[in-house]
Amino acid sequence: KQEVTQIPAALSVPEGENLVLNCSFTDSAIYNLQWFRQDPGKGLTSLLLIQSSQREQTSGRLNASLDKSSGRSTLYIAASQPGDSATYLCAVNFGNEKLTFGTGTRLTIIP
Amino acid sequence: SAVISQKPSRDICQRGTSLTIQCQVDSQVTMMFWYRQQPGQSLTLIATANQGSEATYESGFVIDKFPISRPNLTFSTLTVSNMSPEDSSIYLCSVARSISNEQFFGPGTRLTVL
């Protein structure tokens, strides 16, 4: 069964620190992987998309990496800000055009 | 990216009734999907909305409970039928660009069933 796991479920970090969110998946034969942000009661905002042929993608203070052989992706957030507080979701396309979501990491940045 | 709107944004419904949720995209897209997010949970795919043919449902979801329409390449509806409190969730539509297969999500419809 194709599964996506995110650990930890919640994370609190002082403002200004760099942090890493983790995502693991059970099947290395992926098509792509997306990181999303979800604010309470809201929809999802796409942050980064990594194709299976890529190892990383960057957007501003965000950097996502992909290691298919180990079944892992990380989302690195530099110089965290209170506005980064949200739930971060990792989703994997295992090649069937559908996304399988992880359970998310709820991030709190402490001012 | 894609601009996606959903109506209604939220609703409170009585047990046994039905609600139809609309999803509108600002441009033609090949793939449209409907997801459910139960309280405190992650997203689960309900079905893929196919233009011109019946939707493709995931395990655990059936057409009688969640009928879907996709009359064209920019619009889809999801109906939640004969609702019970267990149907209280956020329902989200998403679209995928065929080139990159990146998915974009609508703002969601928050449904509460009493």
Side-chain angles (χ1 to χ4, degrees):
Chain A
K1 183 180 178 183
Q2 296 165 331
E3 295 182 340
V4 180
T5 304
Q6 292 183 250
I7 296 173
L11 180 66
S12 293
V13 175
E15 179 179 1
E17 287 199 1
N18 305 324
L19 62 100
V20 174
L21 305 179
N22 297 297
C23 172
S24 61
F25 43 92
T26 54
D27 186 349
S28 63
I30 72 170
Y31 186 76
N32 61 39
L33 182 148
Q34 266 183 276
W35 281 94
F36 293 91
R37 167 189 174 134
Q38 185 175 32
D39 293 286
K42 305 288 188 179
L44 277 64
T45 300
S46 179
L47 298 174
L48 288 165
L49 168 73
I50 308 180
Q51 303 291 353
S52 69
S53 59
Q54 298 173 321
R55 292 192 62 85
E56 65 178 328
Q57 282 287 335
T58 298
S59 176
R61 294 183 293 111
L62 306 180
N63 176 277
S65 69
L66 175 64
D67 183 344
K68 288 191 302 179
S69 62
S70 65
R72 294 186 179 188
S73 175
T74 63
L75 179 66
Y76 174 85
I77 302 177
S80 59
Q81 303 170 358
D84 295 330
S85 296
T87 295
Y88 289 80
L89 294 161
C90 167
V92 178
N93 179 342
F94 287 105
N96 52 13
E97 298 173 331
K98 300 177 288 190
L99 290 181
T100 301
F101 278 84
T103 48
T105 295
R106 188 174 68 253
L107 176 66
T108 302
I109 305 301
I110 305 166
Chain B
S1 65
V3 177
I4 306 167
S5 61
Q6 284 185 236
K7 290 181 183 179
S9 59
R10 59 177 61 224
D11 208 341
I12 300 173
C13 301
Q14 296 297 319
R15 180 196 298 262
T17 62
S18 298
L19 176 72
T20 295
I21 303 168
Q22 299 179 4
C23 179
Q24 179 76 53
V25 190
D26 66 339
S27 58
Q28 294 185 343
V29 292
T30 305
M31 309 295 294
M32 291 184 78
F33 306 91
W34 286 98
Y35 289 82
R36 180 176 73 181
Q37 186 176 31
Q38 294 177 300
Q41 305 294 314
S42 191
L43 279 76
T44 301
L45 180 65
I46 298 172
T48 303
N50 302 307
Q51 196 268 328
S53 64
E54 213 169 78
T56 305
Y57 289 83
E58 297 300 301
S59 176
F61 297 97
V62 295
I63 187 171
D64 290 346
K65 176 67 176 177
F66 297 102
I68 288 171
S69 77
R70 177 99 191 262
N72 56 53
L73 293 176
T74 64
F75 185 80
S76 178
T77 67
L78 168 75
T79 299
V80 186
S81 303
N82 188 25
M83 289 183 285
S84 67
E86 292 70 35
D87 294 319
S88 298
S89 297
I90 299 175
Y91 292 86
L92 302 106
C93 71
S94 75
V95 303
R97 296 287 190 203
S98 58
I99 296 177
S100 68
N101 232 15
E102 183 174 6
Q103 284 199 24
F104 301 95
F105 282 77
T109 295
R110 181 182 290 273
L111 171 62
T112 301
V113 184
L114 302 177

